[in-house]
Amino acid sequence: MNYNEAYKKCQEAGQEHVFRYYGSLSEEEKKQLLDQIGSLDLSVIEAAAQGPQKRGVIEPLDVLTLQDLESLKDGFDRAGLSAISQGKVAAVVLAGGMGTRLGSDDPKCMYDIGITKPVYIMQRLIENLKEVTDRTGLSKPPVPLCIMTSDKNHEATVGFMKEHDSFGYPSDMIFYFKQEMAPATGYDRKVLMEDRGVIASSPNGNGGWYISMKRSGVADRLKEMGVEWLNLFSVDNVLQRIADPVFVGGCILNGVVSGAKVVRKAYRDEKVGSICLEDGHPSIVEYYDMTPELLDAVNAKGEPAYAFGVILNYLFRTDALDEIVSRALPLHVVEKKIPYMNEDGEFVKPSEPNGYKYEQLILDMIHEMKDCLPMEVVREKEFAPIKNKTGIDSVESARALCAENGIEL
Ligand code: UTP
């Protein structure tokens, strides 16, 4: 993008202050800034200012509970394992996040949760995936493992995997792709600068993963390999069951285009997104959107109507994703700590949130699907997210859950 085009783009978005130091930049720095302006979608700032979308009519969605699964799980397991053996399922780990709450400078997948030996988060995920691929009896794991990174952590992630020989997973079955970046602003919605010629930016949330996967060519590559289902999951759940045959088989045999693993909420106000129907489509209501009426609603059996929360483990049919890929997802404005350059030209790493990031979220994709099978899983066996160093959803709590499951750390 040339100077005039870049200036016009910023002016139209009310962000021409990014050129404040332009005259003092080297030729290379100028080019980098113009390229960055070319690649960033500045319209998200204005679009997000319209406020959150109004929610539709919320109703309960039937969940396949652990009790229902008792008689069904063997059949699901056989169907799922057969599809997995035929190479129809790929795993996609969403590892582009910044992990700001955990506070490590390295990508989250590199975090070592070991006690007596190193046990990295990515290692745990691959060990879990290998448990399934070993069951196929094939000499080579038939599940492509896709890793979404961002500009901020791509090189570190790829380097780390190389250094550890991808924890024994064949490197020709691992596919990396980078997600897009979004501008970060102060509370006045003016773009912050990271340096005199660099706009502060951050990964654009985990909702844009399929567009990024398509742009990178990885989605086409998987199609050529015969993949029909993508299992999406977050990087930070060290008990994550990946390409779970029961989940895959359940979705196939029920003829749905998507599925979501859910756990029974531990208590009424637990901070997890609740699975439901919204205007007749599957949907997830974030905990901060749950009204007291919804929290206290009961179903025909007199049980809480919205008792199940998602754990960021979804299954999507690729043809259903292709149908919705061009649809815009809602934008979420998130308050975060954003490192920036202050008025005096000093670099500041704030200890408190100082502005907004603009993100699209994968949970909003479920609403675009014509159907979704929510499947209950045992929380203590499958849900050990690491968001913080200590306390709830932390390294400490995940270590305790690993111990309960006989995983040596
Ligand atoms: P979180 O919402 O927990 O964000 O991401 P985070 O970046 O890991 O951590 P905080 O909020 O900064 O502390 C849930 C999952 O989505 C991925 C994360 O890597 C994690 O697996 N994610 C999040 C992305 O892949 N890209 C993003 O832009 C955001």
Side-chain angles (χ1 to χ4, degrees), residues 317-375:
R317 268 191 73 100
T318 51
D319 51 2
L321 289 169
D322 286 331
E323 266 178 42
I324 63 136
V325 68
S326 56
R327 290 189 210 159
L329 294 179
L331 276 162
H332 295 254
V333 181
V334 203
E335 272 190 64
K336 292 259 169 153
K337 298 177 211 162
I338 304 158
Y340 71 106
M341 194 186 73
N342 70 14
E343 289 288 303
D344 303 323
E346 294 155 349
F347 185 70
V348 183
K349 239 181 151 183
S351 54
E352 293 300 322
N354 61 323
Y356 298 130
K357 289 186 176 178
Y358 301 83
E359 301 189 336
Q360 290 185 331
L361 301 182
I362 186 170
L363 54 83
D364 290 316
M365 264 184 157
I366 291 293
H367 190 48
E368 301 299 322
M369 295 285 131
K370 75 175 162 64
D371 49 35
C372 174
L373 179 75
M375 186 180 281

Side-chain angles (χ1 to χ4, degrees), residues 94 96-101 108 179 203 205-206 234-235 336 387:
L94 301 171
M98 299 286 284
T100 44
R101 283 168 288 173
K108 238 185 200 182
Q179 69 174 107
N206 57 26
S234 66
V235 71
K336 292 259 169 153
K387 303 288 182 193

